[in-house]
Coordinates of all heavy atoms in Angstrom, one line a residue:
G1 N 24.2 2.7 93.9 CA 25.0 2.8 95.1 C 24.6 1.7 96.1 O 25.4 1.0 96.7
I2 N 23.3 1.6 96.2 CA 22.8 0.6 97.2 C 23.1 -0.8 96.7 O 23.5 -1.7 97.5 CB 21.2 0.7 97.3 CG1 20.9 2.0 98.1 CG2 20.6 -0.5 98.0 CD1 19.5 2.4 98.2
L3 N 23.0 -1.1 95.4 CA 23.3 -2.4 94.9 C 24.8 -2.7 95.0 O 25.2 -3.8 95.4 CB 23.0 -2.5 93.4 CG 21.5 -2.7 93.1 CD1 21.2 -2.6 91.6 CD2 21.0 -4.0 93.6
I4 N 25.7 -1.7 94.8 CA 27.1 -1.9 95.0 C 27.4 -2.2 96.5 O 28.2 -3.1 96.8 CB 27.9 -0.7 94.5 CG1 27.9 -0.6 93.0 CG2 29.4 -0.8 95.0 CD1 28.4 0.7 92.4
G5 N 26.8 -1.4 97.4 CA 27.0 -1.6 98.8 C 26.5 -3.0 99.2 O 27.2 -3.7 100.0
L6 N 25.3 -3.4 98.8 CA 24.8 -4.8 99.1 C 25.7 -5.9 98.6 O 26.0 -6.9 99.3 CB 23.4 -4.9 98.6 CG 22.3 -4.2 99.3 CD1 21.0 -4.3 98.6 CD2 22.2 -4.7 100.8
A7 N 26.2 -5.7 97.4 CA 27.0 -6.8 96.8 C 28.4 -6.9 97.5 O 28.8 -8.0 97.8 CB 27.3 -6.4 95.3
T8 N 29.0 -5.7 97.9 CA 30.2 -5.8 98.6 C 30.0 -6.4 100.0 O 30.9 -7.2 100.5 CB 30.9 -4.4 98.7 OG1 30.1 -3.5 99.3 CG2 31.3 -4.0 97.3
A9 N 28.9 -6.0 100.6 CA 28.7 -6.5 102.0 C 28.4 -8.0 101.9 O 28.9 -8.8 102.8 CB 27.5 -5.8 102.6
L10 N 27.6 -8.4 100.9 CA 27.3 -9.9 100.8 C 28.6 -10.7 100.6 O 28.8 -11.7 101.2 CB 26.3 -10.1 99.7 CG 25.8 -11.5 99.5 CD1 25.1 -12.0 100.7 CD2 24.9 -11.6 98.3
L11 N 29.5 -10.2 99.7 CA 30.7 -10.9 99.4 C 31.6 -11.0 100.7 O 32.1 -12.1 101.0 CB 31.5 -10.3 98.3 CG 32.8 -11.0 97.9 CD1 32.5 -12.4 97.3 CD2 33.5 -10.2 96.8
L12 N 31.6 -9.9 101.5 CA 32.4 -9.9 102.7 C 31.8 -10.8 103.7 O 32.5 -11.6 104.4 CB 32.6 -8.5 103.2 CG 33.4 -8.3 104.5 CD1 34.9 -8.7 104.1 CD2 33.4 -6.9 104.9
L13 N 30.5 -10.8 103.9 CA 29.8 -11.6 104.9 C 29.8 -13.1 104.5 O 30.0 -13.9 105.4 CB 28.4 -11.1 105.2 CG 28.3 -9.7 105.8 CD1 26.9 -9.3 105.8 CD2 28.9 -9.8 107.2
A14 N 29.6 -13.4 103.3 CA 29.4 -14.8 102.8 C 30.8 -15.5 102.6 O 30.9 -16.6 102.9 CB 28.6 -14.8 101.5
N15 N 31.8 -14.7 102.1 CA 33.1 -15.3 101.7 C 34.2 -14.8 102.5 O 35.4 -15.3 102.4 CB 33.4 -15.1 100.2 CG 32.5 -16.0 99.4 OD1 31.6 -16.7 99.8 ND2 32.6 -15.8 98.1
G16 N 34.0 -13.7 103.3 CA 35.1 -13.1 104.0 C 36.1 -12.4 103.0 O 37.3 -12.2 103.3
R17 N 35.6 -12.1 101.8 CA 36.5 -11.4 100.8 C 36.1 -10.0 100.5 O 34.9 -9.7 100.6 CB 36.4 -12.2 99.5 CG 36.7 -13.7 99.6 CD 38.1 -13.9 99.9 NE 38.4 -15.3 99.8 CZ 39.6 -15.8 100.0 NH1 40.6 -15.0 100.2 NH2 39.8 -17.1 99.9
V18 N 37.0 -9.2 100.2 CA 36.8 -7.8 99.8 C 36.6 -7.7 98.3 O 37.3 -8.3 97.6 CB 38.0 -6.9 100.3 CG1 37.8 -5.5 99.9 CG2 38.2 -7.0 101.8
A19 N 35.6 -6.9 97.9 CA 35.2 -6.8 96.5 C 36.0 -5.8 95.8 O 35.5 -5.0 95.0 CB 33.7 -6.5 96.4
G20 N 37.3 -5.8 96.0 CA 38.2 -4.9 95.2 C 38.6 -5.6 93.9 O 39.2 -6.7 93.9
I21 N 38.2 -5.0 92.8 CA 38.4 -5.7 91.5 C 39.9 -6.0 91.2 O 40.2 -7.0 90.6 CB 37.7 -4.9 90.3 CG1 37.7 -5.7 89.0 CG2 38.4 -3.5 90.1 CD1 36.9 -6.9 89.1
S22 N 40.8 -5.0 91.6 CA 42.2 -5.3 91.3 C 42.7 -6.5 92.1 O 43.5 -7.3 91.6 CB 43.0 -4.1 91.6 OG 42.9 -3.7 92.9
G23 N 42.2 -6.7 93.3 CA 42.6 -7.8 94.1 C 42.0 -9.1 93.6 O 42.6 -10.2 93.6
I24 N 40.7 -9.0 93.1 CA 40.0 -10.2 92.6 C 40.7 -10.7 91.3 O 41.0 -11.9 91.1 CB 38.5 -9.9 92.4 CG1 37.9 -9.7 93.7 CG2 37.9 -11.1 91.6 CD1 36.4 -9.2 93.6
L25 N 41.0 -9.7 90.4 CA 41.6 -10.1 89.1 C 43.1 -10.5 89.4 O 43.5 -11.5 88.8 CB 41.5 -8.9 88.2 CG 42.0 -9.1 86.8 CD1 41.2 -10.3 86.1 CD2 41.9 -7.9 86.0
G26 N 43.8 -9.8 90.3 CA 45.1 -10.2 90.6 C 45.3 -11.6 91.2 O 46.2 -12.3 90.9
G27 N 44.2 -12.0 91.9 CA 44.2 -13.3 92.5 C 44.1 -14.4 91.4 O 44.5 -15.6 91.7
L28 N 43.6 -14.1 90.3 CA 43.6 -15.0 89.2 C 44.9 -15.2 88.5 O 45.1 -16.2 87.8 CB 42.5 -14.6 88.2 CG 41.0 -14.9 88.6 CD1 40.1 -14.3 87.6 CD2 40.8 -16.3 88.8
L29 N 45.8 -14.2 88.6 CA 47.1 -14.3 88.0 C 48.0 -15.3 88.7 O 48.8 -15.9 88.0 CB 47.7 -12.9 87.9 CG 47.0 -11.9 87.2 CD1 47.7 -10.5 87.2 CD2 46.7 -12.3 85.7
R30 N 47.8 -15.5 90.0 CA 48.5 -16.5 90.7 C 47.5 -17.2 91.6 O 47.4 -17.0 92.8 CB 49.6 -15.8 91.6 CG 50.8 -15.4 90.9 CD 51.9 -14.9 91.8 NE 52.1 -13.5 91.5 CZ 52.3 -12.6 92.4 NH1 52.5 -12.9 93.6 NH2 52.5 -11.3 92.1
P31 N 46.7 -18.1 91.0 CA 45.6 -18.7 91.7 C 46.0 -19.7 92.8 O 47.0 -20.4 92.6 CB 44.8 -19.4 90.6 CG 45.8 -19.6 89.5 CD 46.8 -18.5 89.6
A32 N 45.2 -19.7 93.9 CA 45.4 -20.6 94.9 C 44.3 -21.7 94.8 O 43.2 -21.4 94.3 CB 45.3 -19.9 96.3
R33 N 44.6 -22.9 95.2 CA 43.6 -23.9 95.2 C 42.3 -23.6 95.9 O 42.4 -23.1 97.1 CB 44.2 -25.2 95.7 CG 43.3 -26.4 95.6 CD 43.9 -27.7 96.2 NE 45.1 -28.0 95.5 CZ 45.2 -28.9 94.6 NH1 44.2 -29.6 94.2 NH2 46.4 -29.2 94.0
G34 N 41.2 -23.7 95.3 CA 39.9 -23.4 96.0 C 39.6 -22.0 96.0 O 38.6 -21.6 96.7
D35 N 40.4 -21.2 95.3 CA 40.2 -19.7 95.4 C 39.9 -19.1 94.0 O 39.9 -17.9 93.8 CB 41.4 -19.0 96.0 CG 41.2 -17.6 96.4 OD1 40.1 -17.4 97.0 OD2 42.1 -16.8 96.2
I36 N 39.5 -20.0 93.1 CA 39.4 -19.5 91.7 C 37.9 -19.3 91.3 O 37.6 -18.3 90.7 CB 40.0 -20.5 90.7 CG1 41.5 -20.6 91.0 CG2 39.7 -20.2 89.3 CD1 42.2 -21.7 90.2
A37 N 37.0 -20.2 91.7 CA 35.6 -20.2 91.3 C 34.9 -18.9 91.6 O 34.3 -18.3 90.7 CB 34.9 -21.4 91.9
W38 N 35.0 -18.4 92.8 CA 34.3 -17.1 93.1 C 34.9 -16.0 92.4 O 34.2 -15.0 92.0 CB 34.3 -16.9 94.7 CG 35.6 -16.4 95.2 CD1 36.7 -17.2 95.7 CD2 36.1 -15.1 95.3 NE1 37.7 -16.4 96.1 CE2 37.4 -15.1 95.9 CE3 35.5 -13.9 95.1 CZ2 38.1 -13.9 96.2 CZ3 36.2 -12.7 95.3 CH2 37.5 -12.7 95.9
R39 N 36.2 -16.0 92.1 CA 36.8 -14.9 91.4 C 36.3 -14.9 89.9 O 36.0 -13.8 89.4 CB 38.4 -15.0 91.4 CG 39.0 -14.8 92.8 CD 40.5 -15.0 92.8 NE 41.0 -15.0 94.1 CZ 41.4 -13.9 94.8 NH1 41.3 -12.7 94.2 NH2 41.9 -14.0 96.0
V40 N 36.3 -16.1 89.3 CA 35.8 -16.2 87.9 C 34.3 -15.8 87.9 O 33.9 -15.0 87.0 CB 36.0 -17.6 87.4 CG1 35.3 -17.8 86.1 CG2 37.5 -17.9 87.3
A41 N 33.5 -16.2 88.9 CA 32.1 -15.8 88.9 C 32.0 -14.3 89.0 O 31.1 -13.7 88.3 CB 31.4 -16.5 90.0

């Protein structure tokens, strides 16, 4: 739980992105320029 919390907080603080898997995966279906690398990672 601590690792999940830290990972989600780090993604939000570092990239301004929410770590919701459906949104991350869905963003790859209609990718925007410059928005692919972090999703693939």
Side-chain angles (χ1 to χ4, degrees):
I2 289 170
L3 285 173
I4 290 170
L6 286 173
T8 58
L10 183 61
L11 184 63
L12 185 62
L13 292 172
N15 290 359
R17 305 293 186 174
V18 176
I21 189 63
S22 59
I24 292 171
L25 187 58
L28 286 174
L29 299 178
R30 284 187 246 145
R33 184 181 301 262
D35 197 39
I36 297 172
W38 75 270
R39 293 177 189 273
V40 170

